[in-house]
Amino acid sequence: MVHAGQIVGRGHNRRVQSGSAILHAEMDAQERVGRKPAAFYRECTLYTTLSPCSMCSGAIVLYKNPKVVIGENTSFMGEEKWLESHGVLLDVRHDPECIALMQEFMERNPRLWAEDIGE
């Protein structure tokens, strides 16, 4: 999460490490920003490796984050149309490094990928 050009919250998928059902990187980043006034979140840009799932998209809309920069959406297409329908600006980068990172993860951890993404 970035606010006024400064990183204010970094997140990682910590479902396994924390034994959490919901701690995707986007949720973790929101959590690590901490408790701020609602107006603060309306000025934040969320950067994410992968297209946000339904849960993470709900948090983005709930906190009214105006922009999401997505590293890639080839491995998984999240709720991009829904986010846009709620006024969220998306910048999909199709970054080769993000694509390779996700492909390697899926190949090495197919069961964990299926569990995490809900397939």
Side-chain angles (χ1 to χ4, degrees):
M1 293 282 277
V2 172
H3 181 268
Q6 299 288 348
I7 298 171
V8 293
R10 291 181 190 267
H12 301 278
N13 186 311
R14 296 188 306 123
R15 291 181 64 254
V16 172
Q17 298 86 338
S18 298
S20 171
I22 63 169
L23 211 45
H24 287 177
E26 297 90 340
M27 303 292 281
D28 190 34
Q30 294 272 18
E31 175 70 16
R32 289 173 183 259
V33 168
R35 189 169 176 210
K36 302 283 187 197
F40 182 88
Y41 293 98
R42 288 189 288 252
E43 298 171 346
C44 287
T45 297
L46 177 66
Y47 289 79
T48 182
T49 303
L50 192 60
S51 185
C53 72
S54 300
M55 172 182 66
C56 296
S57 295
I60 291 164
V61 169
L62 176 67
Y63 287 98
K64 296 182 174 55
N65 302 134
K67 183 176 180 181
V68 179
V69 178
I70 299 168
E72 70 106 340
N73 63 4
T74 303
S75 302
F76 174 76
M77 173 62 76
E79 299 297 329
E80 293 178 21
K81 289 182 182 179
W82 186 79
L83 284 166
E84 289 177 321
S85 76
H86 284 80
V88 179
L89 177 64
L90 302 180
D91 178 0
V92 182
R93 299 289 175 95
H94 304 290
D95 182 77
E97 189 175 335
C98 291
I99 294 169
L101 177 75
M102 292 310 304
Q103 291 299 319
E104 180 181 341
F105 177 81
M106 290 186 298
E107 289 171 12
R108 288 187 178 183
N109 304 283
R111 291 180 70 198
L112 185 55
W113 169 253
E115 173 191 326
D116 191 40
I117 212 63
E119 294 180 0

